[in-house]
């Protein structure tokens, strides 16, 4: 298997491509367009295909990712995150410590969210198709703080909660993947949930997204003891309706 990988790398180098980080797959603009189209169809068909959602985010984020990186570079906390490259994974989290923090703190509520929704930060796919090592980290960071967005916004992982978070993230990040999820996610909702979404939740998510400072500029790993309400106020997220 190792020999096959070396041959693939040699072929890419001969064609003018080279791997920028572990797992990176260099692709041409045409290949990215085809991947984007295919992943968009599959993601719309099954929004829980996280692998397709991930590919869509990477192949369509060519404008949004540099913008997010610049926001991080121009913010002291965001700049430090870019320099230190922290990761949110089970191997880096002291879950027992988080569970022992006071109710209402970011760490306790994040641990509760993971437990209640039976999700793990380790399910976030590493980037493959972003042709810039630093931008690859930016989208990795976005994926790993996604569950923290659920925690801050008070939203579960059901379809309604995911759509609300996607509206907030679409405003915050400008990633086409988020815009697509926000626009087409509601088609699977019941009439009652759709009414709740349109009349209360989407207006709140949009207002919060526009009002809040960039959510990638928070070093969450150093904020576990901070109350969620305090962090919402600091970012500019309005209390959930």
């Amino acid at each position: 298997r190792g020999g096959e990988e070396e041959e693939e790398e040699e072929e890419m180098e001969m064609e003018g491509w080279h791997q920028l980080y572990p797992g990176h797959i260099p692709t041409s603009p045409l290949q990215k367009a085809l991947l984007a189209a295919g992943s968009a169809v599959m993601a719309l068909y099954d929004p829980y295909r996280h692998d397709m959602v991930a590919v869509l985010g990477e192949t369509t984020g060519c404008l949004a990712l540099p913008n997010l990186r610049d926001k991080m570079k121009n913010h002291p906390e965001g700049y430090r995150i870019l320099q230190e490259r922290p990761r949110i994974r089970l191997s880096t989290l002291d879950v027992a410590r988080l569970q022992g923090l006071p109710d209402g703190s970011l760490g306790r509520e994040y641990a509760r969210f993971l437990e209640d929704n039976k999700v793990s930060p380790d399910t976030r796919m590493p980037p493959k198709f972003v042709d810039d090592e630093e931008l690859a980290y930016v989208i990795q960071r976005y994926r790993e703080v996604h569950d923290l967005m659920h925690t801050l916004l008070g939203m579960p992982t059901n379809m309604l909660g995911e759509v609300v978070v996607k509206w907030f993230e679409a405003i915050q990040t400008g990633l086409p993947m988020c815009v697509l999820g926000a626009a087409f996610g509601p088609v699977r909702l019941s009439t009652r949930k759709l009414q709740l979404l349109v009349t209360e939740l989407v207006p709140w998510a949009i207002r919060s997204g526009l009002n809040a400072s960039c959510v990638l500029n928070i070093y969450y790993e150093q904020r576990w003891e901070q109350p969620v309400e305090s962090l919402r106020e600091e970012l500019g997220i309005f209390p959930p309706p």
Side-chain angles (χ1 to χ4, degrees):
R1 179 68 191 144
E4 288 178 17
E5 289 177 355
E6 286 177 12
E7 284 180 18
E8 288 175 9
E9 286 181 14
E10 284 176 12
E11 285 178 14
M12 287 191 296
E13 285 178 8
M14 286 174 66
E15 294 170 8
W17 302 102
H18 61 281
Q19 198 175 44
L20 299 173
Y21 49 87
H24 174 231
I25 301 175
T27 46
S28 68
L30 176 59
Q31 289 171 318
K32 280 189 174 60
L34 293 171
L35 284 166
S39 59
V41 171
M42 289 303 299
L44 289 173
Y45 176 73
D46 181 2
Y48 290 102
R49 279 291 301 272
H50 297 299
D51 55 341
M52 293 293 99
V53 174
V55 172
L56 181 62
E58 292 174 33
T59 53
T60 60
C62 54
L63 296 178
L65 290 175
N67 185 43
L68 286 170
R69 176 190 57 193
D70 291 347
K71 285 183 179 180
M72 294 178 75
K73 281 189 170 180
N74 293 323
H75 185 278
E77 204 164 334
Y79 181 75
R80 195 151 60 86
I81 293 167
L82 278 179
Q83 295 299 305
E84 297 178 9
R85 305 282 179 94
R87 297 291 306 277
I88 299 176
R89 302 183 63 78
L90 288 178
S91 59
T92 65
L93 292 174
D94 185 345
V95 178
R97 174 178 169 267
L98 299 184
Q99 290 172 334
L101 291 173
D103 287 343
S105 65
L106 177 67
R108 180 68 191 95
E109 298 312 315
Y110 175 60
R112 196 193 312 277
F113 171 85
L114 295 178
E115 186 178 357
D116 290 351
N117 292 281
K118 297 179 173 59
V119 294
S120 164
D122 287 2
T123 59
R124 302 298 166 192
M125 289 183 62
K128 296 178 181 177
F129 302 108
V130 179
D131 294 331
D132 181 289
E133 187 268 339
E134 192 171 45
L135 296 183
Y137 175 75
V138 172
I139 199 164
Q140 182 76 52
R141 183 66 174 175
Y142 155 73
R143 288 174 184 166
E144 292 182 358
V145 304
H146 174 76
D147 288 336
L148 283 157
M149 294 305 98
H150 277 274
T151 305
L152 284 171
L153 297 171
M155 289 293 134
T157 57
N158 60 21
M159 187 56 69
L160 180 64
E162 288 292 352
V163 170
V164 174
V165 173
K166 277 289 175 283
W167 272 99
F168 176 82
E169 290 180 339
I171 300 295
Q172 272 278 309
T173 67
L175 285 165
M177 169 201 67
C178 297
V179 176
L180 199 66
F184 290 97
V187 299
R188 294 171 177 265
L189 296 176
S190 66
T191 304
R192 183 179 62 82
K193 287 183 176 178
L194 193 58
Q195 185 177 9
L196 175 65
L197 183 76
V198 171
T199 58
E200 291 188 41
L201 296 176
V202 166
W204 163 73
I206 292 174
R207 284 196 308 120
S208 290
L210 290 170
N211 189 64
S213 55
C214 180
V215 293
L216 293 184
N217 286 336
I218 297 294
Y219 211 137
Y220 296 97
E221 297 90 329
Q222 299 180 355
R223 306 290 198 104
W224 294 133
E225 296 179 10
Q226 184 173 352
V228 170
E229 287 188 12
S230 165
L231 186 52
R232 277 190 195 131
E233 287 179 15
E234 180 182 336
L235 278 165
I237 297 173
F238 299 111

